[in-house]
């Protein structure tokens, strides 16, 4: 009997497993095309089947696996490691008593490994200043007015109010 993690699938009626690759193509000056890169796409499995007995509990478990992106292993007709449920549909039909028909899509993923430590052969200098605790600091007071300077103010000389004089004509020849 097939299982999706710990959920028993009563009957699997169809398994479809297409495999594909993607190529990078470039045109040349003479009109020919060249392919310089081939990338293998992730394997997807489409399942069709029937689930009976305790259907709501099974649906909740499968929904939880899909929503959380739970990584599972699939082993039925072919074994695939590291797959996630990307699509799950259920159909209630009159032909199936106390259960439902379903379709599900599983996609194989690649899990990256995290390095535990990195060894460096050349010692690296510390480039940060050590953190120091200066406590609470008082803010500097900014002066409210500019300080007085020793500059003397410029004052205009008094105007000569005498009439008929030679005011303003000094230094001219008469």
């Amino acid at each position: 009997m097939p299982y999706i993690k710990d959920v028993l699938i009563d009957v699997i009626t169809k398994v479809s497993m297409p495999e594909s690759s993607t190529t990078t193509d470039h045109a040349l000056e003479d009109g020919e095309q060249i392919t310089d890169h081939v990338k293998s796409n992730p394997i997807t499995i489409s399942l069709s089947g029937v689930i009976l007995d305790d259907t709501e509990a099974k649906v909740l478990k499968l929904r939880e696996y899909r929503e959380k992106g739970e990584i599972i292993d699939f082993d039925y007709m072919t074994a695939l490691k590291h797959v996630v449920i990307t699509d799950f549909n259920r159909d209630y039909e009159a032909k199936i008593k106390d259960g439902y028909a379903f379709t599900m899509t599983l996609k194989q993923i690649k899990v990256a490994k995290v390095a535990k430590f990195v060894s460096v052969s050349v010692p690296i200098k510390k480039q940060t200043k050590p953190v120091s605790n200066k406590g609470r600091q008082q803010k500097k007071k900014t002066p409210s007015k500019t300080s007085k300077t020793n500059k003397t103010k410029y004052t205009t000389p008094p105007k000569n109010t005498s009439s008929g004089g030679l005011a303003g004509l000094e230094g001219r020849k008469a």
Side-chain angles (χ1 to χ4, degrees):
M1 293 241 175
Y3 280 90
I4 302 292
K5 198 158 181 176
D6 58 348
V7 177
L8 174 66
I9 306 297
D10 297 301
V11 178
I12 291 182
T13 57
K14 182 179 176 185
V15 176
S16 175
M17 192 169 71
E19 297 183 33
S20 66
S21 296
T22 304
T23 61
T24 305
D25 301 324
H26 300 285
L28 297 177
E29 290 177 4
D30 63 354
E32 294 291 320
Q33 292 241 338
I34 62 166
T35 301
D36 65 349
H37 186 72
V38 178
K39 180 183 84 164
S40 181
N41 294 330
I43 296 172
T44 58
I45 299 176
S46 298
L47 303 174
S48 298
V50 177
I51 293 181
L52 303 168
D53 304 324
D54 199 21
T55 56
E56 282 307 308
K58 291 179 180 180
V59 166
L60 291 175
K61 272 289 201 193
L62 291 172
R63 182 181 295 150
E64 178 184 343
Y65 296 154
R66 183 188 54 78
E67 288 174 352
K68 289 184 177 179
E70 188 89 20
I71 299 172
I72 56 179
D73 295 334
F74 179 73
D75 191 10
Y76 178 75
M77 304 288 282
T78 184
L80 282 180
K81 301 241 183 240
H82 305 296
V83 296
V84 293
I85 300 172
T86 58
D87 190 34
F88 181 75
N89 299 314
R90 57 185 167 157
D91 296 318
Y92 293 102
E93 298 178 13
K95 294 187 253 179
I96 302 171
K97 181 181 177 185
D98 297 330
Y100 57 88
F102 74 92
T103 57
M104 179 186 302
T105 305
L106 304 172
K107 182 176 183 179
Q108 188 176 34
I109 61 170
K110 297 193 186 227
V111 180
K113 294 180 183 176
V114 178
K116 295 189 181 194
F117 65 91
V118 177
S119 67
V120 179
S121 60
V122 178
I124 298 174
K125 290 183 181 180
K126 199 175 195 182
Q127 296 182 359
T128 58
K129 185 177 175 183
V131 177
S132 62
N133 185 3
K134 294 184 178 182
R136 293 183 64 168
Q137 301 289 315
Q138 289 184 349
K139 293 182 180 178
K140 292 182 180 178
K141 293 183 180 180
T142 56
S144 58
K145 292 184 179 179
T146 58
S147 61
K148 292 184 178 181
T149 60
N150 292 336
K151 292 182 180 178
T152 57
K153 282 189 169 183
Y154 174 75
T155 56
T156 56
K159 291 185 179 181
N160 189 0
T161 57
S162 62
S163 62
L166 297 171
L169 297 177
E170 301 89 42
R172 286 192 177 182
K173 294 185 179 177

